[in-house]
Amino acid sequence: MNPRQSEIIHLVNQKKRVTVSDLSLHAGVSEVTIRQDLNQLEIEGYIKRVHGAAISLQSDDLSERMEIRFDAKQKLVERAAKLVKLGETVMIEGGSANALLALLLAERGDVTIITPSAYIAHLIRHTQANVILLGGVYQHQGESLVGSLTTLCIEHTHFSSAFLGIDGYHQDTGFTSRDMMRADVAKAILAKNKQNIVMTDASKFGQIFPTSIGDGKQISVLITNKEAPQQDMDFLRAQGVEIFLE
């Protein structure tokens, strides 16, 4: 990686979204060169290319994150939806893949969705699904509700399955999150001891973020891509996790 590409990564992570033209002006090179840089950085997993711009993989904006590895996420979502029975009440905590799942289930129209995600509730507002939006402190960028009121709401709701968003997994730390307050919400969901399901693309494995959510013993099902590290899959299976590779 050359110094220009390192600076591109820094700018994109700092601003979350930067246009090709702005990167070209900043670096003093042509837009063709910038596009070549972005192609390489996307292949190496540092950023995500969208039309005319680059976005950070660290962005909390779910609309942007839903564009990242969209086709791969859609396969995971289709598998996850098969685990949800007719008339079931499910908790969907948050995350881009879970937002796509909520949309698919809501359009199916035969489930009740409980969520602390205002983004998810807004996304499925035009469907006929029953939606219960939990209360709490509103996080503006991620559009999640967090805090003690949210965890209290979770304690007083009933559901049979929960879908949790995660940012990273490592055998030493378990599942981790970038956001401490969202991690507290996830822990409250895990404490209900229902069927806890993690749906994530393979890029999250090997990554460690500041706050632990839980280990494999608290997770019932993992849905991920076939590219997920075999060593991690074996480790989680040994902890009793049922794994679906799509």
Side-chain angles (χ1 to χ4, degrees):
M1 181 187 303
N2 61 45
R4 183 181 64 251
Q5 291 170 341
S6 297
E7 180 64 14
I8 288 172
I9 295 170
H10 173 75
L11 281 172
V12 172
N13 284 337
Q14 182 182 56
K15 296 184 177 182
K16 306 305 181 186
R17 182 186 183 102
V18 187
T19 65
V20 171
S21 58
D22 284 346
L23 289 170
S24 174
L25 287 171
H26 180 86
V29 296
S30 70
E31 293 187 9
V32 172
T33 299
I34 291 296
R35 290 190 183 94
Q36 291 171 345
D37 286 338
L38 295 181
N39 286 338
Q40 180 179 338
L41 293 173
E42 182 178 47
I43 290 169
E44 295 175 357
Y46 291 104
I47 56 96
K48 169 64 179 177
R49 285 211 59 188
V50 294
H51 182 67
I55 61 175
S56 172
L57 297 182
Q58 300 174 13
S59 173
D60 287 327
D61 188 310
L62 281 181
S63 295
E64 292 180 347
R65 288 172 59 188
M66 283 171 69
E67 296 182 46
I68 299 170
R69 303 184 182 91
F70 178 85
D71 291 341
K73 287 177 181 176
Q74 197 63 42
K75 290 181 181 179
L76 305 184
V77 165
E78 290 168 2
R79 161 52 68 181
K82 294 177 181 178
L83 301 178
V84 180
K85 300 175 183 177
L86 177 69
E88 189 173 354
T89 297
V90 298
M91 171 71 75
I92 302 183
E93 181 269 325
S96 56
N98 282 335
L100 291 170
L101 173 64
L103 183 59
L104 180 59
L105 293 176
E107 289 174 343
R108 208 173 81 180
D110 58 9
V111 297
T112 296
I113 296 172
I114 305 173
T115 183
S117 170
Y119 180 90
I120 287 176
H122 183 75
L123 182 68
I124 61 179
R125 69 192 184 282
H126 295 307
T127 71
Q128 297 302 310
N130 296 318
V131 183
I132 300 172
L133 177 62
L134 304 181
V137 177
Y138 181 69
Q139 292 183 317
H140 289 268
Q141 188 172 15
E143 299 186 56
S144 292
L145 293 155
V146 297
S148 57
L149 178 57
T150 312
T151 57
L152 181 63
C153 288
I154 292 167
E155 291 172 10
H156 291 277
T157 55
H158 302 284
F159 48 89
S160 48
S161 297
F163 293 87
L164 298 108
I166 61 105
D167 292 316
Y169 175 81
H170 194 282
Q171 292 182 25
D172 294 339
T173 60
F175 295 97
T176 55
S177 173
R178 290 182 287 118
D179 188 313
M180 185 178 296
M181 297 190 75
R182 271 193 64 193
D184 287 341
V185 171
K187 289 174 183 176
I189 294 171
L190 290 172
K192 299 284 283 188
N193 293 317
K194 301 302 181 181
Q195 179 175 238
N196 295 313
I197 302 168
V198 168
M199 177 173 54
T200 184
D201 65 77
S203 67
K204 304 289 181 66
F205 289 93
Q207 297 196 46
I208 299 175
F209 289 90
T211 309
S212 291
I213 296 173
D215 59 26
K217 296 176 183 177
Q218 295 176 284
I219 304 300
S220 309
V221 178
L222 168 67
I223 305 172
T224 189
N225 312 115
K226 293 177 181 178
E227 295 80 14
Q230 185 62 48
Q231 189 175 26
D232 287 339
M233 298 302 98
D234 292 341
F235 185 81
L236 287 166
R237 284 193 182 98
Q239 293 181 301
V241 181
E242 183 178 8
I243 296 176
F244 293 96
L245 299 176
E246 296 300 317

